[in-house]
Amino acid sequence: MQAPPPTTLPADVRGLLQAARDLGVDRLDAQWLLSHHLGRPRTWLLAHDDHPLPEALSRRLMADLSHRAQGLPLAYVLGEQAFCGLALKVGPDVLIPRPETEVLVDWALDLLPAGLPRQVADLGTGSGAIALALAARRPGLRLTATDASAAALTLARANAARLELDVSFLLGHWWQPLAGQRFDLVVSNPPYIAEGDAHLAALGHEPQAALTSGPDGLDALREIIAGARAHLAPGGWLLLEHGHDQGSAVRQALADHGFGRCETRLDLAGLDRCTGGQRCEGPTRANTP
Ligand code: GLN
């Protein structure tokens, strides 16, 4: 049972943490909120539980706690998520960047020697997370990022401007805005959860178009792989994030489209998370009868 809303606003850190407990909000989440709004590290809160909260801040924090109590992910409540050391603005128009996607970024960085002006594309960029992480780590890259959602691109552009990182953003579905362009490396974290998957119930606040893709979750991955050859320079690489049980299907689809050196990398939980391959010359199995 949730406690009724307090009639008076919490006056200090201790009161706010108590109000969070009464609302059933995780203590750590409440501490992150306080730390974010007070501009202090979380450890500081431990020694300052009598720190006064101005009324306006207390009201704002109570509204945030109530959104969190209703299940809004903390990243949306804060409006921010850390990814590869970048503080990215996020909102309900974009998927919240996940730590496992850093596997994809690390693999891309392995393939991008510093100082070379390589052409790189990020398909379905959302908040811009992957493209911006690459831009931050490899100055001089020519980065293009696409998304079919205009609202996502507005947020991604704002992230790029705030972080002073240079990425060209294009509106459109997967390869569609990239006609005639070729890249040395293409990365994507597309939607890959199967429609009706039980695990979607916990992700109801995030854009479904960024999460699900057909009955087996592989529609977007297949579409990206099918169009990749025409957009990769010879020897170029395609790296894709996918579900823990999709590694072999993605390796097979890449091989069918003439990719070599296909390999799957694991996330920190030890699960298949990213598969990549290199464009090889010669006919592809998918194109030959
Ligand atoms: N990794 C996310 C999840 O399973 C899904 C992201 C995606 O579909 N690209 O929560």
Side-chain angles (χ1 to χ4, degrees):
M1 271 266 295
Q2 278 185 7
T7 46
T8 52
L9 289 167
D12 55 19
V13 164
R14 184 190 305 111
L16 199 282
L17 291 174
Q18 180 58 49
R21 197 162 29 244
D22 294 344
L23 286 165
V25 172
D26 193 75
R27 186 174 179 82
L28 197 57
D29 286 359
Q31 288 175 336
W32 278 122
L33 270 169
L34 273 164
S35 147
H36 179 81
H37 285 283
L38 293 173
R40 307 276 191 175
R42 217 163 46 79
T43 45
W44 179 91
L45 296 171
L46 303 178
H48 296 85
D49 65 353
D50 57 352
H51 183 77
L53 299 176
E55 191 180 319
L57 177 59
S58 185
R59 183 166 291 115
R60 166 72 200 267
L61 285 163
M62 286 305 293
D64 285 354
L65 286 179
S66 128
H67 290 137
R68 184 70 197 103
Q70 287 158 33
L72 192 67
L74 184 67
Y76 290 157
V77 179
L78 293 170
E80 203 170 280
Q81 174 68 40
F83 180 74
C84 290
L86 302 177
L88 296 171
K89 297 288 176 200
V90 295
D93 291 319
V94 297
L95 191 80
I96 299 166
R98 312 281 207 266
E100 55 267 31
T101 302
E102 297 191 8
V103 173
L104 192 69
V105 172
D106 287 344
W107 193 351
L109 291 171
D110 290 347
L111 295 170
L112 294 168
L116 293 180
R118 295 277 163 85
Q119 305 268 2
V120 178
D122 172 20
L123 307 188
T125 195
S127 62
I130 299 172
L132 294 171
L134 295 177
R137 294 287 300 278
R138 291 285 185 275
L141 284 184
R142 302 207 185 109
L143 272 151
T144 306
T146 72
D147 206 286
S149 157
L153 283 188
T154 300
L155 191 80
R157 284 197 178 99
N159 275 324
R162 216 172 22 82
L163 297 166
E164 297 182 22
L165 294 169
D166 190 18
V167 175
S168 302
F169 292 99
L170 297 174
L171 180 65
H173 197 65
W174 308 133
W175 301 108
Q176 178 256 317
L178 300 174
Q181 294 193 52
R182 281 185 191 271
F183 300 89
D184 301 299
L185 170 67
V186 176
V187 292
S188 182
N189 172 19
Y192 52 69
I193 302 177
E195 279 162 10
D197 188 301
H199 142 235
L200 287 168
L203 306 175
H205 291 273
E206 294 186 83
Q208 294 303 291
L211 289 167
T212 61
S213 192
D216 60 1
L218 288 162
D219 283 7
L221 286 158
R222 281 190 283 255
E223 191 176 336
I224 292 170
I225 292 168
R229 208 176 157 77
H231 292 280
L232 284 172
W237 281 82
L238 175 63
L239 305 183
L240 299 163
E241 181 172 324
H242 53 72
H244 65 91
D245 52 357
Q246 294 170 331
S248 67
V250 175
R251 283 193 304 277
Q252 186 62 54
L254 284 169
D256 288 348
H257 285 82
F259 282 79
R261 300 176 69 185
C262 298
E263 176 195 335
T264 295
R265 291 202 181 177
L266 311 181
D267 62 21
L268 289 175
L271 302 171
D272 280 8
R273 186 55 59 195
C274 296
T275 292
Q278 187 177 29
R279 185 190 138 167
C280 298
E281 298 321 304
T284 71
R285 260 184 273 164
N287 291 342
T288 42

